[in-house]
Amino acid sequence: EKSRGVCGRAATRRKHGCRYDHGANYVKSNSPRVNELITETLPTDGLVDIQEPVWTFDAAGDIEPGESRDDHKWTYEDGITQLGKRLFDRADADIEFETRVGRLSHSGGNWWLLDTDGNDLGTFDAVLLTPPAPQTADILAATEWNDSLLADIQAAVDAVPYRTIYAVLLHYPFEVEYPWYGLVNTDREHPVGWLSREELKDGHVPAGESLFAAQMSPEWSVDRYEDPSEAVKADAAELVADLLDDERFADPDWTDRQGWRYALPDDGVDDIVRDAEPHGLYVAGDWVVGDGRVHLAVENGLEVGERIADDSA
């Protein structure tokens, strides 16, 4: 794991007494298997089910009710990152944090891992790669494996298209009242792609305060990705104020931001990646199934894990 924690874009931060999910906002209830995992298999202390609905808006900023999205929207009082932490606690897995895998080498039926400085990370029977497709493709491009299959798999992974999302958090020292938890831009033509209210998640925001999570559109995000963060956050606040027709939101008392260069896949990977599994090389993630949803990433990971176990038996 190259970072200091698990769960990727299902991430949580703390600031000024608030907790907030600054990537994925919740876990959809569309998967019976993931529902069972969250509500029965894993500990349920601090589990939050967001009750308020998701509404829609268009390029003109016209907000409408009626986006019937989910029966449940799961997160935790301590944030959505709890899902990854609880999974790893249950798995009793060893995790090496702040470790960047640079390449693999296949020899004698085993996989040898090296970090980006060329240091040996060990030899393994099987390897499962879960970074976003572009980063997985980079690892595969540097991999040593005397099999023509490698080039085909690397090309298939490299071809997965991704959207870039710039997330901006906007805090206000007052309460707001709206009938929705989140707003989603359905025509993908507004600079704001998604707006949600962290104060509607138990344990996230103190009483009397409001915290918006704004995820900007891919086009806007790419355009502004390298700009100074204070200017980007200020412009995002202006866009949120305009969308909600309330100038108070143009002046948050504190902000935060996160650029997700590889946020959401727009398609899945070619099935050729399955051809590497008899050789002990696996991939998993939302980009394998082609939709950037936490429940799909979890479901895919469980399925691939079962295949690894069966192949190793």
Side-chain angles (χ1 to χ4, degrees):
E1 170 58 55
K2 75 171 185 176
S3 72
R4 291 175 294 174
V6 296
C7 227
R9 207 174 62 86
T12 306
R13 282 185 186 154
R14 293 177 177 86
K15 187 173 182 178
H16 297 315
C18 295
R19 287 188 180 91
Y20 47 94
D21 302 321
H22 57 286
N25 293 113
Y26 59 87
V27 184
K28 281 187 169 190
S29 63
N30 296 39
S31 166
R33 184 170 189 185
V34 176
N35 269 348
E36 181 180 352
L37 178 76
I38 289 174
T39 62
E40 297 180 29
T41 305
L42 299 178
T44 58
D45 54 298
L47 184 63
V48 173
D49 185 6
I50 306 164
Q51 298 296 317
E52 290 77 8
V54 174
W55 285 18
T56 66
F57 65 98
D58 60 16
D62 294 329
I63 298 172
E64 299 284 347
E67 170 80 353
S68 179
R69 284 211 150 196
D70 308 293
D71 293 330
H72 302 282
K73 298 184 282 293
W74 303 115
T75 186
Y76 295 89
E77 290 182 9
D78 286 339
I80 197 171
T81 192
Q82 280 292 306
L83 176 59
K85 291 178 179 179
R86 295 179 189 207
L87 281 166
F88 274 105
D89 286 345
R90 185 64 183 264
D92 193 29
D94 294 325
I95 310 171
E96 297 293 336
F97 292 109
E98 297 183 89
T99 302
R100 291 179 175 267
V101 175
R103 61 185 173 93
L104 316 176
S105 180
H106 188 265
S107 177
N110 293 319
W111 289 97
W112 178 35
L113 271 64
L114 299 99
D115 67 16
T116 50
D117 294 323
N119 298 313
D120 184 4
L121 297 176
T123 304
F124 304 90
D125 299 320
V127 173
L128 168 61
L129 296 172
T130 63
Q135 294 169 321
T136 297
D138 288 344
I139 293 173
L140 293 173
T143 289
E144 299 169 348
W145 180 22
N146 188 23
D147 193 307
S148 60
L149 182 60
L150 175 60
D152 294 336
I153 293 174
Q154 192 275 338
V157 175
D158 195 41
V160 176
Y162 260 79
R163 277 177 275 164
T164 294
I165 302 292
Y166 202 111
V168 178
L169 286 300
L170 307 169
H171 180 271
Y172 305 93
F174 53 81
E175 289 182 294
V176 297
E177 290 189 16
Y178 292 106
W180 45 265
Y181 152 70
L183 300 175
V184 61
N185 177 220
T186 50
D187 59 18
R188 296 191 180 183
E189 294 184 3
H190 195 281
V192 180
W194 165 268
L195 183 69
S196 57
R197 302 166 59 201
E198 288 292 297
E199 68 270 17
L200 296 183
K201 299 173 180 176
D202 292 346
H204 278 230
V205 180
E209 303 176 15
S210 303
L211 180 59
F212 289 161
Q215 297 189 4
M216 310 309 289
S217 73
E219 183 178 1
W220 194 93
S221 297
V222 169
D223 232 20
R224 304 300 306 277
Y225 202 85
E226 302 296 339
D227 290 352
S229 64
E230 292 304 316
V232 174
K233 291 185 290 186
D235 289 348
E238 288 281 0
L239 288 165
V240 168
D242 182 64
L243 174 64
L244 299 180
D245 194 24
D246 190 331
E247 275 304 310
R248 292 181 301 168
F249 300 132
D251 188 26
D253 64 339
W254 62 260
T255 61
D256 197 4
R257 57 93 185 179
Q258 175 67 47
W260 299 100
R261 190 176 295 278
Y262 306 123
L264 301 170
D266 271 326
D267 201 357
V269 73
D270 191 281
D271 285 343
I272 194 173
V273 295
R274 291 286 299 273
D275 293 346
E277 293 185 0
H279 303 277
L281 180 61
Y282 302 79
V283 295
D286 54 10
W287 57 272
V288 176
V289 292
D291 194 357
R293 307 294 180 187
V294 177
H295 72 283
L296 295 177
V298 173
E299 194 171 57
N300 177 248
L302 293 172
E303 292 169 356
V304 176
E306 287 174 343
R307 294 204 299 273
I308 294 172
D310 290 342
D311 293 344
S312 301

